[in-house]
Amino acid sequence: LVLLTMNLKTYLGIYILFAVFQIYHNTEIPNCAFEDTVNLTNALQFDNGSYLYAYEGIVIPPDLVGVYDFEEIYDGRRLPVEPHLRGCICKGRNCIKFCCHPTKELITNMSRMCSENELKEELEYDPYLEVIYNNGSRLKTHAIRQFVVIQGVPCEGGYPLMPQEDEDDKWDIFENGTIYRHFDQSYISKRDYCLMPQNMSDGTWVLNPMNCPIPNEATLSNRINNIAMAISVPFIVLTIFVYLFIPELRNLHGKCLISYLTSLAVGYSVLSTITLSEVIFANFVCSSLGYIGYFSFMAAFFWLSVISFDLWQNFRITGPIRIGQRKRFIMYSTYAWGVPFCLTCIVMIIQNSDMDPYYKPGIGDDYCWLKTNDWSAMIYFFGINLIIILLDTAFFIMTLHKILIIQKEIKKVTMNDGGNDKSRNLRLHKNNVGLFLRLLLIMGITWLLDIFSYIENQLHPGVTNPLYYISDFMNAMTGLLIFICFVLKPKVLKLMKRRILGKEEPSENTESDYSDDEFALEDRGKNDALQFIN
């Protein structure tokens, strides 16, 4: 008897250990996708091991029950959770997936949670959907009565397809619960969407699928372009550091260049993050990145126009410039930061308005950046930048023309006293104009080619000239080119060495090509040079 009791205790212990192992060890159901299962944690268990799925009143046999320690959500991502029982309810049945209870709950704050507190009464809507059956027929089918309803929200930040308001949001549903999204011709399984009633502008409710944000997918050329942008950013940052580090470079044009490069670095960083990151951004984060990138790129273009204008103005004005450099920089900053800020606000207002989606900029819709598959980007981005580039080009042409006139007049008096000083002064300004002319060439030509590429893609969709891939890459390598032009110069390297070592050069050598004389004509120098024209 004692031996029998010991054996019973042993067997009981083994059974308990086995039961615990079954509960806490993952035993997935063979040949059953996670999307076809339901949680049976609080389900009624029968003596034969079957479970009752109370919501549908369906009994699930023990061979279709398993223990899971994860939850599979959008795009196959698995989230670790406490081990729990699940039953394969869709085996041999047609299931349809709702986000929450079909009539009593809604998603809370774009999360994966459901709450019935948002509803004062049960929802009333047309539950009939046009279902495409396996034989190809389309029949109006009651979504709740003729399908097994399962529940779950596949992701945060989901957005509804609303064909009632936007034709691009058309969708179909098949007998097996898969939906077909028209705008990108995608088949989406029950794992990656859920149905939820949507409140229309007239107060009625309609049943539409909630989609997850589409991952950022870029073509090979775009990925190469944005990788180059990411590589380019450190060189831009190094150039900014050099200009901040050397006092001789922190004059008016140096400050304008720093502002321009800062805008460019932020814009490139944001665009690279949007394109290269595989993270599915929440709607607010996605839109914020798009607006920051838009503001940064627009500010870069406006700062480039400031540099062009200031160089032209220095040669245009024949008398002393009465406004000091500090006040001029404040005026330039108000313009170069203020106008892009106003444009960004306008873009935000239009994007969140009831305007026809075709004319909206598209930031935060299907992508975090401007949509470039129609002409809207020409209105909000490329068109404005094209005008700025053309104006910059005009300023530089007029500046170079003025230099040629001054140079011609100075040659007539080089034999007089002071002629050498005037020639040296003009040479310094010519070097400065040449330096920023290279900046215009680096930015202007490549951006012009980008704009022409965009226009050609609109006129001839799907046809791309290989030349534009080269221009995209060159544009993305702007940081390296700027670093070479503005930092890897003998004078700048000499100033860096002197700054690091703390050495002072003899007085006769202290004049630098990067003094204020280079970046802006001093009143005396301008009067001396320009008096020969009058």
Side-chain angles (χ1 to χ4, degrees):
L1 181 61
V2 174
L3 183 61
L4 179 61
T5 303
M6 291 179 62
N7 288 337
L8 287 175
K9 289 182 178 179
T10 301
Y11 290 134
L12 181 60
I14 294 174
Y15 176 78
I16 293 174
L17 288 174
F18 179 76
V20 171
F21 176 79
Q22 288 293 321
I23 293 175
Y24 290 98
H25 181 69
N26 185 38
T27 56
E28 298 180 31
I29 305 169
N31 302 317
C32 183
F34 184 90
E35 64 196 63
D36 293 328
T37 66
V38 291
N39 194 328
L40 298 178
T41 299
N42 297 317
L44 175 65
Q45 182 181 12
F46 297 102
D47 293 338
N48 63 356
S50 300
Y51 286 84
L52 175 66
Y53 182 52
Y55 181 79
E56 290 284 350
I58 296 175
V59 176
I60 303 176
D63 61 317
L64 295 180
V65 176
V67 179
Y68 290 73
D69 59 3
F70 65 88
E71 181 183 7
E72 190 171 281
I73 59 173
Y74 176 70
D75 206 24
R77 287 198 302 133
R78 292 189 173 187
L79 301 179
V81 296
E82 290 294 324
H84 63 286
L85 291 173
R86 301 191 71 88
C88 188
I89 197 171
C90 298
K91 192 84 168 182
R93 302 181 181 90
N94 291 329
C95 293
I96 194 168
K97 185 179 180 182
F98 278 74
C99 303
C100 306
H101 189 284
T103 60
K104 297 181 179 180
E105 295 178 320
L106 292 176
I107 296 176
T108 303
N109 297 326
M110 306 296 288
S111 67
R112 296 188 60 239
M113 305 297 293
C114 296
S115 173
E116 60 183 5
N117 296 330
E118 298 185 12
L119 296 176
K120 296 180 180 179
E121 56 186 15
E122 289 195 14
L123 296 176
E124 294 184 2
Y125 55 87
D126 183 4
Y128 284 89
L129 299 175
E130 188 177 81
V131 178
I132 302 176
Y133 284 83
N134 294 334
N135 59 8
S137 62
R138 291 174 176 261
L139 297 175
K140 284 283 188 178
T141 304
H142 198 291
I144 300 175
R145 294 176 184 171
Q146 295 179 258
F147 283 90
V148 174
V149 174
I150 59 177
Q151 299 177 29
V153 184
C155 61
E156 295 181 351
Y159 66 95
L161 293 179
M162 302 283 283
Q164 298 84 359
E165 298 180 354
D166 188 350
E167 291 186 358
D168 292 337
D169 280 356
K170 288 183 178 179
W171 58 278
D172 294 311
I173 188 166
F174 293 88
E175 183 180 2
N176 63 356
T178 298
I179 68 169
Y180 175 73
R181 191 169 56 198
H182 284 225
F183 78 83
D184 61 348
Q185 301 178 347
S186 295
Y187 291 90
I188 305 173
S189 69
K190 296 187 294 292
R191 183 193 66 189
D192 296 338
Y193 83 93
C194 59
L195 292 173
M196 193 178 80
Q198 305 294 328
N199 192 5
M200 305 297 292
S201 56
D202 59 0
T204 60
W205 292 82
V206 295
L207 197 59
N208 283 318
M210 292 290 291
N211 276 223
C212 293
I214 300 175
N216 296 315
E217 296 181 359
T219 62
L220 178 60
S221 62
N222 285 336
R223 292 188 68 85
I224 294 175
N225 186 20
N226 285 281
I227 290 173
M229 281 187 181
I231 296 173
S232 186
V233 170
F235 291 101
I236 297 177
V237 174
L238 283 175
T239 306
I240 295 172
F241 173 77
V242 169
Y243 270 71
L244 291 173
F245 181 68
I246 301 176
E248 291 86 346
L249 303 181
R250 294 199 300 266
N251 43 51
L252 178 59
H253 275 277
K255 292 177 181 177
C256 292
L257 180 64
I258 290 171
S259 300
Y260 163 74
L261 294 178
T262 301
S263 303
L264 201 63
V266 174
Y268 278 176
S269 299
V270 169
L271 199 57
S272 298
T273 300
I274 291 173
T275 306
L276 299 178
S277 175
E278 296 182 356
V279 175
I280 300 174
F281 298 107
N283 289 350
F284 175 77
V285 176
C286 180
S287 298
S288 298
L289 286 173
Y291 293 130
I292 293 172
Y294 178 82
F295 170 79
S296 300
F297 278 118
M298 295 306 297
F301 276 96
F302 277 90
W303 273 113
L304 189 61
S305 70
V306 164
I307 294 172
S308 304
F309 171 79
D310 192 67
L311 287 173
W312 169 71
Q313 180 181 246
N314 287 334
F315 285 89
R316 179 181 66 89
I317 300 176
T318 57
I321 298 178
R322 300 184 181 278
I323 303 177
Q325 289 196 14
R326 184 174 180 275
K327 290 185 178 180
R328 287 163 65 190
F329 182 69
I330 293 175
M331 293 171 58
Y332 290 155
S333 297
T334 303
Y335 162 77
W337 296 121
V339 176
F341 177 78
C342 293
L343 290 173
T344 305
C345 290
I346 292 173
V347 166
M348 292 176 64
I349 293 172
I350 294 176
Q351 178 62 30
N352 293 281
S353 69
D354 295 329
M355 183 182 291
D356 187 333
Y358 180 82
Y359 299 104
K360 289 185 177 182
I363 295 177
D365 284 345
D366 299 326
Y367 193 53
C368 301
W369 182 237
L370 295 162
K371 56 186 173 79
T372 56
N373 58 349
D374 55 32
W375 288 102
S376 61
M378 192 69 184
I379 301 172
Y380 302 106
F381 188 71
F382 290 111
I384 299 173
N385 294 337
L386 178 60
I387 295 173
I388 293 175
I389 291 174
L390 294 177
L391 288 175
D392 292 346
T393 304
F395 281 134
F396 271 105
I397 291 174
M398 290 187 293
T399 302
L400 292 175
H401 180 258
K402 198 71 172 178
I403 288 176
L404 293 176
I405 295 176
I406 296 174
Q407 187 178 37
K408 183 178 179 180
E409 296 297 332
I410 285 181
K411 285 182 179 180
K412 297 179 181 179
V413 293
T414 52
M415 301 303 296
N416 298 334
D417 293 339
N420 290 334
D421 292 337
K422 298 179 181 65
S423 298
R424 185 180 68 253
N425 191 39
L426 179 63
R427 176 179 57 81
L428 293 176
H429 301 313
K430 285 174 61 180
N431 290 340
N432 181 48
V433 172
L435 196 63
F436 284 94
L437 177 59
R438 288 194 290 272
L439 178 62
L440 178 64
L441 291 175
I442 292 171
M443 290 303 301
I445 293 179
T446 50
W447 275 103
L448 278 175
L449 290 176
D450 284 343
I451 294 172
F452 294 152
S453 175
Y454 164 77
I455 294 174
E456 183 181 2
N457 286 335
Q458 301 308 310
L459 297 176
H460 306 95
V463 179
T464 305
N465 191 323
L467 175 64
Y468 298 123
Y469 291 115
I470 299 174
S471 70
D472 285 343
F473 184 78
M474 290 177 59
N475 184 45
M477 294 302 292
T478 298
L480 177 60
L481 297 176
I482 289 175
F483 182 78
I484 293 173
C485 290
F486 286 84
V487 176
L488 298 183
K489 293 172 61 68
K491 288 290 184 180
V492 175
L493 296 176
K494 189 175 182 180
L495 288 172
M496 288 179 61
K497 180 180 179 181
R498 191 176 67 185
R499 172 71 168 162
I500 293 172
L501 299 178
K503 293 182 179 180
E504 293 292 336
E505 291 189 353
S507 58
E508 63 269 22
N509 295 327
T510 55
E511 183 178 356
S512 168
D513 285 350
Y514 292 87
S515 64
D516 283 347
D517 277 341
E518 179 184 355
F519 289 100
L521 284 171
E522 292 183 351
D523 297 338
R524 176 182 174 184
K526 287 197 304 178
N527 290 333
D528 289 342
L530 294 169
Q531 65 181 345
F532 303 107
I533 304 174
N534 299 330

